[in-house]
Amino acid sequence: MSENGNTCPAVEENFEAARREMVARQIRERGIHSKRVLDAMMDVRRHLFVSRDQASQAYADEPLPIGKAQTISQPFMVAAMAEALSLEGSERVLEVGAGSGYQAAVLSLLARKVVAVETQPALAAAARERLSRLGYSNVRIEEGDGSMGWPPDNSLEGPPTAEYEAILVSAAAPAVPPPLVVQLAEGGRLVIPVGGSENQELLQIVKRHGRTTQRSLYACRFVPLLGRYGWNPIAPGSPRE
Ligand code: SAH
């Protein structure tokens, strides 16, 4: 594979066939019906978001290691979470836990603007480089603790109530981080795995008239959310609730 991700046409065709199979068997047949989500899953070349030696596994029905003890989520989970955000194309989306940038790439095809926060500097740098090389120009990767949310305009000044129509947390939280609810716009959707360190429930939380309702979508298992509202502080000694 060359640096911009181009392979010879025959290899690229194999990846495309594997991707088509993934969308049909792992995603559509398991109940994801949104055409926009299915198209986005077909569009994003997942094999370019994993290391070269993982590329042959890129369309398998499982999460894959991306380094730093982190994983790129299983394709079905990526699609299910995207569908649960009910994106129509005009939204500002926050993703907490950018990892490889794969989920952010999928979301970028479904919304207007994606801000994806990653706590691991090496992963954030790699995701930023990869997304820009592949032309995903409406995604911004930020390095830091996304459990506290993120100001959409990149400035720490101004009103603290940044607003996103959709927020996705791609790591398991012990409880819903309050700042994420604050940063959710009226009518906005927050999708987040919440529970113990081994097993969680994927929750969809909707904010209306300042109040939230929630429903449980799937049982799931994610790597832990760290940071202020995660499992343990990123910086030793930093305050916790
Ligand atoms: N969505 C990613 C996979 C996420 S794995 C993809 O498509 O590849 C979860 C990621 O969350 C890991 O990369 C981990 O480093 C990151 N993470 C954990 N706690 C975080 C926090 N508080 N803020 C931002 N990122 C965090």
Side-chain angles (χ1 to χ4, degrees):
M1 235 183 292
S2 70
E3 278 312 299
N4 65 5
N6 291 328
T7 52
C8 72
V11 174
E12 201 54 44
E13 263 174 39
N14 285 346
F15 281 129
E16 194 180 322
R19 195 157 59 246
R20 197 173 301 285
E21 183 79 3
M22 171 193 87
V23 171
R25 302 267 169 273
Q26 299 174 33
I27 301 176
R28 194 186 313 117
E29 280 183 16
R30 288 192 194 144
I32 305 299
H33 298 304
S34 158
K35 182 169 181 335
R36 296 188 75 231
V37 170
L38 295 172
D39 287 349
M41 294 299 293
M42 188 59 213
D43 209 272
V44 181
R45 297 189 294 164
R46 184 169 160 98
H47 59 282
L48 301 181
F49 291 79
V50 296
S51 65
R52 221 168 269 216
D53 51 332
Q54 296 282 341
S56 64
Q57 290 304 304
Y59 298 99
D61 190 13
E62 59 192 14
L64 292 173
I66 53 171
K68 307 287 170 201
Q70 305 302 332
T71 56
I72 177 172
S73 308
Q74 179 194 21
F76 173 79
M77 208 33 92
V78 172
M81 294 193 293
E83 188 172 68
L85 292 174
S86 309
L87 300 171
E88 292 181 346
S90 61
E91 299 84 356
R92 288 157 301 178
V93 182
L94 174 66
E95 185 194 13
V96 179
S100 67
Y102 175 70
Q103 175 93 57
V106 171
L107 297 176
S108 79
L109 299 178
L110 300 169
R112 177 160 60 87
K113 174 102 200 125
V114 178
V115 177
V117 187
E118 172 55 51
T119 194
Q120 296 259 7
L123 293 178
R128 189 180 293 126
E129 184 281 322
R130 175 182 287 126
L131 289 165
S132 99
R133 171 163 44 85
L134 297 176
Y136 292 99
S137 55
N138 60 339
V139 186
R140 205 173 76 221
I141 302 285
E142 299 284 0
E143 184 190 314
D145 177 7
S147 76
M148 299 192 291
W150 203 264
D153 61 359
N154 203 18
S155 94
L156 292 171
E157 279 137 44
T161 51
E163 292 213 327
Y164 296 92
E165 286 78 24
I167 300 180
L168 175 60
V169 181
S170 296
V176 177
L180 298 184
V181 175
V182 171
Q183 294 197 2
L184 206 54
E186 168 63 21
R189 286 81 59 197
L190 165 62
V191 172
I192 177 170
V194 174
S197 55
E198 295 297 313
N199 293 292
Q200 307 94 33
E201 281 181 293
L202 188 69
L203 301 182
Q204 182 201 48
I205 292 163
V206 180
K207 184 172 175 181
R208 279 190 214 295
H209 312 298
R211 304 175 72 106
T212 57
T213 52
Q214 75 177 50
R215 67 186 182 114
S216 174
L217 302 176
Y218 301 96
C220 56
R221 185 179 179 159
F222 280 78
V223 297
L225 179 76
L226 304 178
R228 174 83 162 82
Y229 292 96
W231 285 98
N232 58 284
I234 290 169
S238 65
R240 268 197 88 161
E241 279 292 273

